[in-house]
Amino acid sequence: MNKPKVFLLPDLGEGLTEAELVSWLVAVGDEIRVDQPIAEVETAKSMVEVPSPYAGTVAVLHGEPGQTLDVGKPLISVTPVGAAPGAALPASAGRAVDSPDTVVDSPAAVAAEVYREEEKAGSGNVLIGYGTPGGHGVARRSRAPRRGAVQVPAAEKAADDLVLMRTRVPGKLGAVISPLVRRMARDHGVDLGELQGSGASGLIMRRDVEAAIKPSVVERPEAPAGTEAPAPAGGTDARTGLGIAGRTPVRGVRKAVAANMARSRSEIPEATVWVDVDATALLEMRAALKRSDPHNTPGLLAFIARFVTAGLKKYPELNTRIVTTEDAAGGASKEIVAFDGVNLGFAAQTDRGLMVPSVRNADKLSARELDAEIRRLTAVVREGKATPAELGSGTFTLNNYGVFGVDGSAAIINHPEVGILGVGRIIDKPWVVHGELAVRKVTELTLTFDHRVCDGGTAGGFLRYVADAIENPGSVLADL
């Protein structure tokens, strides 16, 4: 009799440990095919449709819309095509040991068997950070149980092993960790890519993460007497005496943004420089291009992005990243990693919060090509369909906060980058031109940079380069 196949929530990329189930795209009893989308889930990075690696009848949906599911936990159970009706897996899945001679599969054993079958065959479907190897895995053999042996603990261990194998750290196959360990690391701002696991084959254990966390964080003292307890929704706030209108859980994108911004502020010794810029010439140049080609004229942000990528080539210190490495003696040291190319991130406001997609190899694109890619990525993130790679691969960020009607902002660096350039609104201001007072189109550029990678001279040089390019766009573009 064919057993139901239990599909576990895969790692959807960037080492994410959980996802919120937004909606089911199938129902119990539906016939589904391989690679058919079965659920829509929201991670801290994007909205993703999860396809099924199995064909058959939907037996169980393991979760309700709005529920947060851990990577490696059951998502859906599918009865294979041609299976007997009795093969359907009940919602309270799980069978016990009937006798010393009979070992019946638990959900953990079913899940482990599913993984073994995927290792041998593979569905051919691949998501970011998830995919079956299509025959490259090693099949495991199961020995017949000894008479009188209780096999449930072994099945549970197999499920634990499965969870570990489903939650690899991208780029570090040996550093396999459980969702609980990964969540602990994320909550405390520990970079798992910088840890050396103490377990077998470099396995990162809970003790490794705890050792990287400050004792004051790991050993949380009890709240002192008089600490305010959270009031229930609809109740009264103890501190202000005001009624509570509602509570909004910090999760998904907002949770990821909050953690990243807090980490940036705590780790990066940042400094900010700014300058007012006369953008009249750039606006006039774009207006002339629009008159000659009204349907193929890049936006102002695309021109500024072109100037930024050129400036980063001239001042490459701002297109770097600081990483921690381990020397031969086991000590930790930091190094500055420079990149051969620029992935330019740009801030985009969406209904799900502030997103920062990045234009890959932006230094190789023209202003028109940058404009097209910026528009494409903006549409993708607003639809919630951006991939983790599109949202997590930037090397420098451009932030146009002028669209909100503000002149300047000391922006927070998008960790682990080392710089962010902000552009304020363009407004009419009195400006001295050739000794005469005139009304010009003026904007403010603000550069926040990591003082560990460069000093004010480099930051000021980069900022002045971009400002000069905006004030004299024709001459600069001629040299690009």
Side-chain angles (χ1 to χ4, degrees):
M1 180 173 63
N2 291 335
K3 300 177 181 178
K5 297 184 180 297
V6 182
F7 176 45
L8 308 184
L9 179 65
D11 185 340
L12 301 171
E14 293 292 302
L16 302 175
T17 62
E18 63 185 18
E20 180 182 342
L21 178 60
V22 176
S23 64
W24 287 108
L25 304 179
V26 296
V28 174
D30 286 357
E31 295 290 332
I32 61 174
R33 62 184 185 280
V34 173
D35 291 346
Q36 176 178 336
I38 54 174
E40 190 175 42
V41 301
E42 180 181 5
T43 71
K45 295 287 187 179
S46 60
M47 196 84 75
V48 179
E49 286 185 351
V50 181
S52 171
Y54 308 122
T57 303
V58 177
V60 180
L61 302 178
H62 299 278
E64 299 293 335
Q67 181 179 351
T68 298
L69 306 177
D70 290 331
V71 167
K73 296 298 183 182
L75 178 64
I76 188 173
S77 297
V78 179
T79 303
V81 177
L89 186 69
S92 57
R95 291 180 287 172
V97 178
D98 294 334
S99 72
D101 299 323
T102 305
V103 178
V104 189
D105 293 331
S106 68
V110 173
E113 182 61 27
V114 167
Y115 180 78
R116 286 193 286 271
E117 291 181 5
E118 287 183 357
E119 286 288 299
K120 290 184 289 184
S123 70
N125 192 14
V126 178
L127 284 175
I128 296 170
Y130 145 66
T132 53
H136 296 289
V138 179
R140 305 175 187 172
R141 297 184 179 274
S142 300
R143 296 181 180 178
R146 293 177 299 170
R147 180 177 298 274
V150 179
Q151 299 296 319
V152 173
E156 292 176 354
K157 182 180 184 302
D160 291 340
D161 292 342
L162 173 59
V163 170
L164 294 179
M165 299 186 75
R166 280 294 199 188
T167 54
R168 290 185 173 95
V169 176
K172 294 190 67 177
L173 298 182
V176 188
I177 49 179
S178 74
L180 293 178
V181 174
R182 295 170 77 173
R183 181 178 299 172
M184 175 188 290
R186 182 193 59 200
D187 290 345
H188 294 290
V190 176
D191 187 350
L192 291 170
E194 299 178 0
L195 289 186
Q196 180 64 38
S198 61
S201 301
L203 184 69
I204 296 178
M205 311 295 289
R206 176 171 181 159
R207 60 178 176 267
D208 301 319
V209 177
E210 290 178 340
I213 303 172
K214 294 180 179 180
S216 60
V217 176
V218 177
E219 301 173 4
R220 296 184 178 180
E222 295 184 1
T227 299
E228 177 185 352
T236 301
D237 180 60
R239 189 180 73 85
T240 64
L242 298 176
I244 296 176
R247 294 181 178 274
T248 303
V250 179
R251 61 189 182 191
V253 172
R254 177 53 53 194
K255 183 178 180 181
V257 169
N260 197 45
M261 295 300 99
R263 183 177 183 184
S264 178
R265 280 296 195 203
S266 64
E267 292 186 11
I268 299 177
E270 62 187 31
T272 303
V273 290
W274 60 91
V275 64
D276 287 338
V277 181
D278 180 1
T280 306
L282 178 59
L283 290 172
E284 291 175 347
M285 185 193 73
R286 183 177 181 274
L289 289 173
K290 194 170 183 65
R291 286 193 294 270
S292 62
D293 189 0
H295 303 295
N296 194 30
T297 302
L300 288 174
L301 188 63
F303 283 113
I304 297 175
R306 190 69 187 94
F307 302 149
V308 167
T309 58
L312 291 174
K313 283 188 175 181
K314 190 175 180 64
Y315 298 92
E317 297 92 336
L318 291 166
N319 189 51
T320 59
R321 180 172 300 168
I322 291 184
V323 298
T324 302
T325 59
E326 183 176 335
D327 55 32
S333 61
K334 293 187 180 296
E335 64 180 11
I336 299 174
V337 177
F339 301 107
D340 182 17
V342 178
N343 286 352
L344 184 63
F346 64 94
Q349 192 67 37
T350 73
D351 292 339
R352 300 170 60 241
L354 185 67
M355 312 288 282
V356 187
S358 60
V359 179
R360 300 180 67 85
N361 297 308
D363 54 309
K364 296 180 175 61
L365 303 181
S366 67
R368 282 194 173 91
E369 291 169 331
L370 284 168
D371 184 72
E373 188 65 1
I374 288 172
R375 292 179 187 276
R376 184 191 73 81
L377 287 170
T378 299
V380 168
V381 297
R382 286 178 176 167
E383 293 170 0
K385 302 298 183 182
T387 66
E390 289 172 326
L391 291 170
S393 60
T395 61
F396 186 90
T397 295
L398 176 61
N399 185 5
N400 179 23
Y401 44 71
V403 296
F404 302 116
V406 298
D407 298 326
S409 170
I412 300 177
I413 297 173
N414 186 24
H415 185 280
E417 298 169 14
V418 298
I420 179 171
L421 179 70
V423 183
R425 60 177 178 165
I426 300 176
I427 60 176
D428 290 340
K429 279 189 176 182
W431 199 262
V432 176
V433 181
H434 304 303
E436 299 290 337
L437 191 63
V439 177
R440 307 289 284 183
K441 301 292 185 180
V442 178
T443 186
E444 182 180 286
L445 300 182
T446 307
L447 173 67
T448 302
F449 65 98
D450 188 334
H451 226 313
R452 295 174 296 178
V453 301
C454 67
D455 54 24
T458 298
F462 168 79
L463 186 62
R464 190 66 255 173
Y465 177 90
V466 177
D468 291 343
I470 292 174
E471 292 183 342
N472 302 281
S475 60
V476 174
L477 289 173
D479 295 331
L480 294 180

